[in-house]
Amino acid sequence: MIGLLKTKSLRFWVGLGMLIALLPIVLSASGGYLLLNWGVIVPFHDVTSRQRQQIIPVQKLRIMIWEALAPVDEFIEDGDPVHLSAYRSLRTQIETSFTTLSDALRGEPAVQASLERARNEWTAAERHATELISVVHGAGDAEKNATLQRYHGGVAAANDKLAAVYASIAGRIEEDHDIAVRSYERSLWLAGIAGAISLLTVALGVIIIGRILSRSVDRLVEGAARFAEGDRTHRIEIQLPPELHRVAEEFNHMIGRIRESEAALDELAHKDSLTGLSNRRAFEESFSDIQARMQRHAETAALLAVDIDHFKRINDELGHAAGDVVLRAVAVAMKTNVRPFDKVFRTGGEEFLVLLPQAGAAKAQEIAERLRETVAALSIPFNGTIIRTSISIGVVEIAEAAGHASVVEEADEALYQAKKSGRNRVVVGGSGRGRAIEVQ
């Protein structure tokens, strides 16, 4: 019997209440149902619809605009036309997304105006990109660099304005949540009035309907509130009635997709697109985490500053495509030859940093030597030739209270000594040592 009742719809429970409460209940239940349906369920359906048609497309558009940087940068670096195809495909998708979003926001002129400003920023940035990929520039061309900076700036500006669009839509959703809460509260008042008029029969109707609906609506309201506050892990669990169960499942699905979009944006902000390693921003955050652990557990940690020897010569003699191959090969060799909890970062050009938690100077020196030997033994194929390279490494032990800038500067000084003394070697440095210790 209970299982059968669980399959009954919201309309069934409203009808049952009407039969129990007779005429007073007919009026109160009809009014309560309409208020619940149009004041709570419809707004939640509208919220999920706008999440699907507005929130998620905005996030995807931001990701695509960020991704449009890579093919242009890579084409400037190596001139490979395959990057142009990737860029043009992204450009088409971005234009289509702007048009689709504009249609979805037709009823919200203020948000549509913000979207149009973002589109204008992208259009301006796209013109710079077209100029970059259409005109042949020489190495070190000042005009090329200025145009590239304007392109990067335009992409960032477009993303900032899309972030404002996202915030505006999210604000509207929160307002609709508040309306749904007020409608829910009014429905409870109506149920109370019906109970007072119909005495025990009305009370029975309220018990039948209220117990089934109140918990489910409360969960919907709570879930919407937690979403508005930024909680992306909460799931709304509703079994009865089936209509609200479907709304909750759709809401959960939308939250999951928004979480995935936000995670993708965060990953793009912390990854180097060429090597797949973490970037300098990720290094600074990891450095703070390691220092906090050092303070809590009295652990040691070390930093390696790594530079590929004669990397400019590889680019000059074999081209930037060969340099990219070398960078990827060295990145893979380093990542696979450190401990599982060590972290490798590409911080620019041919420069890398390696954070070594739970490692003093001696252990860091041992790991650095292993990396140096591994890279020196690499045979990197490129266009029928074999490229061999080496790395120089500066090693420092991290002081508990030192800032990341001073530690990196200290590691760079040890790296400079390694370069100065012949390259393909490890030099251990450190504050108060008087001089760097060279290890061949």
Side-chain angles (χ1 to χ4, degrees):
M1 181 64 180
I2 294 176
L4 179 62
L5 292 178
K6 284 185 177 181
T7 64
K8 297 302 181 180
S9 68
L10 177 61
R11 292 176 177 81
F12 169 83
W13 294 109
V14 172
L16 181 60
M18 291 166 59
L19 291 174
I20 294 174
L22 300 177
L23 183 60
I25 282 295
V26 169
L27 298 177
S28 63
S30 297
Y33 169 72
L34 291 175
L35 189 60
L36 183 65
N37 188 58
W38 295 106
V40 179
I41 296 176
V42 171
F44 272 106
H45 273 299
D46 181 60
V47 165
T48 57
S49 175
R50 276 189 286 170
Q51 287 168 345
R52 183 173 59 253
Q53 298 176 10
Q54 298 175 5
I55 288 283
I56 290 176
V58 167
Q59 293 290 66
K60 286 184 176 179
L61 181 55
R62 292 179 68 194
I63 292 173
M64 286 190 290
I65 289 177
W66 276 123
E67 288 178 343
L69 290 172
V72 174
D73 290 348
E74 291 171 358
F75 178 78
I76 295 300
E77 286 291 327
D78 57 23
D80 190 341
V82 72
H83 303 312
L84 296 183
S85 299
Y87 170 72
R88 287 168 182 149
S89 175
L90 278 171
R91 181 178 62 188
T92 300
Q93 294 177 51
I94 289 169
E95 290 298 330
T96 301
S97 296
F98 268 118
T99 301
T100 303
L101 263 176
S102 182
D103 292 340
L105 295 171
R106 195 177 301 279
E108 303 180 51
V111 183
Q112 194 176 41
S114 296
L115 178 67
E116 191 60 32
R117 288 192 289 272
R119 189 173 194 167
N120 292 338
E121 293 287 356
W122 163 248
T123 301
E126 194 275 330
R127 285 198 296 269
H128 296 312
T130 301
E131 180 181 347
L132 286 168
I133 64 179
S134 301
V135 179
V136 178
H137 297 276
D141 190 327
E143 183 179 353
K144 175 198 72 175
N145 292 334
T147 304
L148 187 60
Q149 289 295 324
R150 287 193 291 271
Y151 174 55
H152 279 247
V155 167
N159 262 282
D160 289 342
K161 288 179 172 56
L162 283 173
V165 171
Y166 176 89
S168 179
I169 296 171
R172 297 291 183 87
I173 290 175
E174 186 173 357
E175 291 174 4
D176 288 345
H177 149 255
D178 292 337
I179 292 172
V181 171
R182 289 193 294 270
S183 296
Y184 169 60
E185 292 171 349
R186 286 195 293 269
S187 69
L188 291 181
W189 275 107
L190 183 60
I193 293 172
I197 295 174
S198 301
L199 300 176
L200 294 178
T201 57
V202 174
L204 180 59
V206 170
I207 290 173
I208 294 174
I209 297 175
R211 285 189 176 180
I212 293 173
L213 298 183
S214 293
R215 293 180 183 177
S216 297
V217 174
D218 282 342
R219 289 173 183 173
L220 278 175
V221 172
E222 179 189 2
R226 293 179 66 167
F227 171 78
E229 293 167 0
D231 187 350
R232 301 293 188 262
T233 60
H234 179 66
R235 285 185 57 83
I236 302 174
E237 299 294 342
I238 294 176
Q239 297 301 322
L240 290 175
E243 290 90 343
L244 290 184
H245 171 73
R246 290 194 296 272
V247 171
E249 288 301 305
E250 181 68 16
F251 195 88
N252 292 335
H253 182 60
M254 293 302 105
I255 292 176
R257 296 187 64 178
I258 290 171
R259 184 170 65 246
E260 291 172 1
S261 297
E262 291 175 342
L265 281 173
D266 184 67
E267 183 175 1
L268 283 175
H270 288 77
K271 287 288 186 183
D272 169 54
S273 60
L274 177 63
T275 62
L277 296 177
S278 299
N279 59 18
R280 180 172 288 275
R281 178 177 176 183
F283 163 74
E284 292 172 359
E285 294 178 4
S286 296
F287 186 92
S288 299
D289 293 340
I290 283 180
Q291 276 202 321
R293 186 174 179 85
M294 290 171 65
Q295 293 169 0
R296 288 196 305 267
H297 305 292
E299 294 180 353
T300 57
L303 177 69
L304 309 184
V306 183
D307 193 276
I308 300 176
D309 297 329
H310 301 297
F311 185 73
K312 185 176 183 301
R313 183 186 303 170
I314 296 173
N315 280 335
D316 292 343
E317 295 179 359
L318 299 176
H320 288 284
D324 289 348
V325 170
V326 170
L327 283 170
R328 293 190 189 99
V330 171
V332 170
M334 293 175 63
K335 191 170 181 63
T336 54
N337 283 277
V338 294
R339 299 170 300 174
F341 49 85
D342 295 333
K343 296 182 179 180
V344 183
F345 307 85
R346 183 190 177 200
T347 55
E350 69 274 25
E351 301 165 0
F352 301 84
L353 292 174
V354 184
L355 270 175
L356 304 174
Q358 302 176 35
K363 184 64 176 178
Q365 174 186 324
E366 175 190 330
I367 294 172
E369 276 295 324
R370 182 168 68 244
L371 294 179
R372 184 192 65 79
E373 293 170 358
T374 299
V375 173
L378 288 177
S379 297
I380 306 170
F382 176 76
N383 288 348
T385 64
I386 297 297
I387 303 174
R388 296 187 181 278
T389 188
S390 62
I391 56 176
S392 298
I393 305 177
V395 181
V396 292
E397 185 171 324
I398 300 173
E400 184 176 309
H404 67 81
S406 63
V407 175
V408 171
E409 182 178 355
E410 197 173 295
D412 282 341
E413 176 60 28
L415 173 61
Y416 173 76
Q417 293 298 327
K419 290 279 191 181
K420 184 178 178 182
S421 57
R423 295 183 171 84
N424 191 23
R425 63 193 61 214
V426 175
V427 169
V428 181
S431 300
R433 298 190 183 207
R435 65 183 183 84
I437 301 172
E438 179 180 317
V439 181
Q440 297 192 19

